[in-house]
Amino acid sequence: MPSAASQTTTEHHTLGHALASHAERLSATTALVYGRSDGAQDRRTYAELYAQAAAAGAVLHELPPRTHDRPFVLIALPDGVDYVASFFGCLLADAVAVTFHPPLMSTMRAGRAWDHRLEQILRDCEPSAVVTAPELRSRVRAVADTAALAPLVITPDEIPWQADGEAGPVRTRPRHLALLQYTSGSTSSPKGAMVSNANLAHNIAHIRRNLGTGPGQSAAGWLPLFHDMGLIGMVCHPLTAGMSLHMSTPTGFLRNPLGWLRTLSDTGSSFTIAPDFGYATAVRKVAQERREGLDLSGLRHALNGAEPVRRRTVTAFAEAYEPYGFNPHAMMPVYGLAEATLVVTCLDRQAPPALGEVERQTPGAANGTVQGSRPGTTRTELVGCGTSIAADIEVAVVDPKTSRRRRPGEVGEIWISGPSVTGGYWGHEKVTRETFEATVDEPEFRGRRFLRTGDLGVWHEGQLCIAGRIKDVIIHRGTNHHPQDLEATAEGCHELVARAVAFATRDEWDQDEQVVLACELLAYGPGVDCAAVLSAVRGAVLEEHGIAPAAVAVVRSGAVPRTTSGKLRRAEAAKRWSAGEFKPVALWHRGETSEGGQR
């Protein structure tokens, strides 16, 4: 048998067929290594991973469907090999995987939120089964009872498998639904993007072609598996490409960011993917003396996505780790979303991103043009995210009021059309029509349907740059401001500010939008001058954006609400602020200043 390094993968109709092929051709090659919280590791070769997935698939294939022509299977497992095997088991059985997770924290509030979201998802898709951890079995059943449902609740240890066992057929079909990817958002109305096997195969094939990934290469990461970037980008892509994948967990990364870098170094990994805050954390939380011995020369593709990519993060990571072999051109900003499977635009291999600024004008959320720097104007820094990842994916920057494309250099809403765009939201026909059936009012696009992303973008130097979110735009005294701009200003004005969130609240008297900023610090304690931080943030935001904030707060580390992929939840922050739930360590409020609370 030729060595793994000399083999090449062929294009497969589905991910299930790809795993079956690797189990035969790369049988003894390490497929997956997962670090556990106790320091041990779980390992699977391709033959072992396929055997475990096929055993799960044999059980899941026998399930009766409820609301679909094939069974839905909700996966509520901790990140690890069992999660990966259960997902591929769904694919092999031609069942529909519904990705979820265990409670993320042990607090009562987090537990209630988890129960509520689980109940809403159960009601939304009515799965035939839930695969969960033994310690969650009774809890899942209780929530299902509340939803008046009775899915089979099964744990991975109840599905025996043998590495040399005889595997059943691959039942996966390209046009069949493969995955319900529930998007981050309100727990009261979860929406599951309907991702087909063809969507997955198309998107991953073009990621592979763009990056040149394949057998003989390694990858390393830590993203959560119920999120599209973790499941599809960090797991399905490397495994479909025949790579050896080394994974940690989000908790493990936050506790020890150096562990991610050590794994990249020790395995010679060529690929990783993380949100912008992950790279920023690797700079801030890993002291220079702890970086000794790292060798990142093998890292050819460090994808940066899931939230706005910041120029200072790109620059800071390159400056911090170039002495340890990191090639600055390996940093690859990407743009994507679950409704388009994963990646929409990406840089060519090791091409530098286009950097620029967009000058904000008023009124209208989609107004703005890329300009040279002029004193006294409000500007947003731009980082290029490349071009369409595939020739058959059309990316248009559109004026949402006229449905016509904006010219290069002008800001508009990003609309997408092509084979990676998913089939809409399960059971939400009205929202699907509004979101997935937009039309560009130009002859060349007649008859073509587009996905409205809600993201603002601009073409600059031939690359798509992300300028913000339409819904996040703050209208302050008739002028549009993007919270990312205010947050970047706050984070850059004082050395102690680690992360900031900007949002608007309504004044109860005149109903005008009032701007609030909440900041997490790198350090807390008696020696920290919080008053200086509050003053620096107020002054910087006023000077750079012409906004006098209504309030600026220093909050506890971790108090700023984020999704599991690191995206700021600004609407949730505004809600918590209005409810008095932040309990600031220090607070400046227009007309008063207070300090209190303990970290």
Side-chain angles (χ1 to χ4, degrees):
M1 178 181 291
S3 67
S6 68
Q7 294 183 38
T8 58
T9 55
T10 58
E11 298 301 334
H12 299 281
H13 294 302
T14 72
L15 274 60
H17 289 92
L19 183 61
S21 174
H22 296 338
E24 180 179 351
R25 300 173 62 228
L26 304 172
S27 59
T29 300
T30 297
L32 179 62
V33 179
Y34 234 110
R36 301 199 315 240
S37 59
D38 61 3
Q41 293 181 329
D42 291 321
R43 293 175 174 268
R44 297 288 187 273
T45 64
Y46 273 101
E48 291 168 339
L49 180 60
Y50 180 69
Q52 185 176 357
V59 173
L60 301 177
H61 178 68
E62 301 300 324
L63 294 171
R66 292 180 58 87
T67 58
H68 191 56
D69 58 356
R70 284 168 299 110
F72 285 3
V73 179
L74 188 142
I75 305 173
L77 289 168
D79 293 329
V81 293
D82 287 340
Y83 200 118
V84 177
S86 297
F87 174 75
F88 275 95
C90 290
L91 299 184
L92 295 174
D94 207 24
V96 181
V98 183
T99 51
F100 197 52
H101 56 85
L104 301 178
M105 298 178 66
S106 58
T107 63
M108 290 183 61
R109 176 175 176 168
R112 287 195 300 268
W114 185 83
D115 289 347
H116 180 63
R117 184 158 178 85
L118 174 61
E119 180 184 347
Q120 294 300 317
I121 292 176
L122 290 174
R123 291 182 185 275
D124 191 66
C125 68
E126 298 188 24
S128 300
V130 178
V131 183
T132 192
E135 63 271 19
L136 290 175
R137 181 198 292 271
S138 60
R139 187 170 184 172
V140 168
R141 282 179 171 160
V143 175
D145 288 343
T146 303
L149 296 170
L152 172 69
V153 180
I154 190 169
T155 62
D157 57 10
E158 295 175 319
I159 305 176
W161 61 276
Q162 294 181 329
D164 56 355
E166 184 175 342
V170 178
R171 298 181 173 89
T172 319
R173 296 295 177 266
R175 297 299 170 187
H176 285 183
L177 188 59
L179 167 67
L180 281 190
Q181 179 66 60
Y182 278 89
T183 56
S184 303
S186 169
T187 56
S188 63
S189 56
K191 299 188 297 295
M194 298 187 290
V195 186
S196 71
N197 287 293
N199 291 147
L200 289 170
H202 178 270
N203 204 254
I204 290 174
H206 286 284
I207 295 173
R208 284 179 46 210
R209 289 173 184 170
N210 188 282
L211 303 182
T213 50
Q217 299 179 31
S218 294
W222 49 268
L223 294 175
L225 298 188
F226 69 92
H227 187 267
D228 58 314
M229 193 163 76
L231 179 67
I232 301 172
M234 197 64 249
V235 172
C236 291
H237 154 237
L239 293 180
T240 302
M243 303 171 74
S244 294
L245 175 61
H246 303 262
M247 290 291 289
S248 178
T249 64
T251 301
F253 167 74
L254 292 174
R255 288 175 178 168
N256 179 27
L258 179 60
W260 174 40
L261 302 173
R262 288 284 181 210
T263 302
L264 288 168
S265 175
D266 293 346
T267 61
S269 289
S270 62
F271 171 82
T272 192
I273 183 170
D276 192 80
F277 95 91
Y279 294 100
T281 298
V283 174
R284 292 197 310 264
K285 298 290 188 179
V286 181
Q288 184 171 351
E289 60 270 18
R290 300 181 64 209
R291 300 170 188 166
E292 294 302 321
L294 289 176
D295 179 5
L296 301 180
S297 60
L299 186 56
R300 295 188 296 178
H301 311 294
L303 273 61
N304 185 337
E307 59 182 359
V309 179
R310 294 182 174 175
R311 182 192 298 188
R312 71 174 187 167
T313 300
V314 173
T315 302
F317 190 88
E319 290 177 350
Y321 291 103
E322 190 172 10
Y324 306 97
F326 180 72
N327 182 345
H329 287 176
M331 179 68 76
M332 298 180 67
V334 297
Y335 169 69
L337 65 166
E339 288 83 351
T341 305
L342 183 63
V343 177
V344 174
T345 68
C346 186
L347 289 170
D348 291 333
R349 298 180 196 178
Q350 299 198 337
L355 302 176
E357 292 179 327
V358 60
E359 179 181 311
R360 289 290 160 202
Q361 302 169 348
T362 58
N367 283 355
T369 56
V370 174
Q371 302 284 352
S373 183
R374 298 189 304 171
T377 60
T378 302
R379 300 177 302 277
T380 299
E381 284 192 348
L382 299 176
V383 176
C385 294
T387 59
S388 175
I389 196 168
D392 53 2
I393 295 180
E394 182 70 36
V395 181
V397 175
V398 178
D399 183 336
K401 295 180 179 179
T402 65
S403 296
R404 297 184 68 84
R405 282 182 298 176
R406 304 280 283 174
R407 293 189 297 270
E410 296 181 342
V411 178
E413 184 182 7
I414 301 170
W415 291 14
I416 305 163
S417 179
S420 284
V421 174
T422 62
Y425 298 120
W426 171 258
H428 295 264
E429 295 181 3
K430 182 175 183 295
V431 180
T432 293
R433 288 195 299 271
E434 294 170 349
T435 307
F436 287 82
E437 298 182 10
T439 56
V440 176
D441 187 19
E442 296 180 22
E444 64 182 285
F445 297 119
R446 186 170 291 118
R448 189 164 189 169
R449 302 293 179 181
F450 282 80
L451 163 68
R452 294 191 58 174
T453 67
D455 293 321
L456 295 173
V458 57
W459 289 108
H460 175 57
E461 295 184 5
Q463 295 185 25
L464 182 69
C465 302
I466 311 306
R469 288 279 299 168
I470 290 178
K471 291 182 180 180
D472 283 340
V473 169
I474 298 171
I475 304 175
H476 181 71
R477 296 181 179 177
T479 301
N480 295 326
H481 298 273
H482 292 269
Q484 293 90 341
D485 306 345
L486 310 185
E487 291 154 3
T489 296
E491 292 168 7
C493 74
H494 195 285
E495 61 183 3
L496 283 178
V497 179
R499 296 284 284 176
V501 61
F503 52 88
T505 60
R506 291 281 183 181
D507 185 279
E508 60 180 310
W509 297 107
D510 60 18
Q511 292 298 298
D512 191 21
E513 287 198 340
Q514 304 294 313
V515 177
V516 177
L517 290 103
C519 305
E520 295 178 359
L521 303 186
L522 293 172
Y524 297 81
V528 174
D529 188 351
C530 289
V533 174
L534 297 175
S535 177
V537 172
R538 291 199 327 269
V541 171
L542 179 61
E543 290 175 12
E544 294 190 29
H545 305 279
I547 293 177
V552 180
V554 171
V555 298
R556 303 183 316 276
S557 179
V560 172
R562 301 180 180 87
T563 69
T564 52
S565 65
K567 293 180 182 178
L568 292 171
R569 299 173 62 199
R570 299 183 179 90
E572 177 65 19
K575 179 181 176 182
R576 293 186 188 181
W577 180 268
S578 298
E581 297 178 2
F582 265 111
K583 296 179 173 53
V585 174
L587 170 67
W588 176 90
H589 199 285
R590 192 176 297 152
E592 60 179 293
T593 303
S594 68
E595 293 193 20
Q598 297 296 320
R599 182 177 180 267

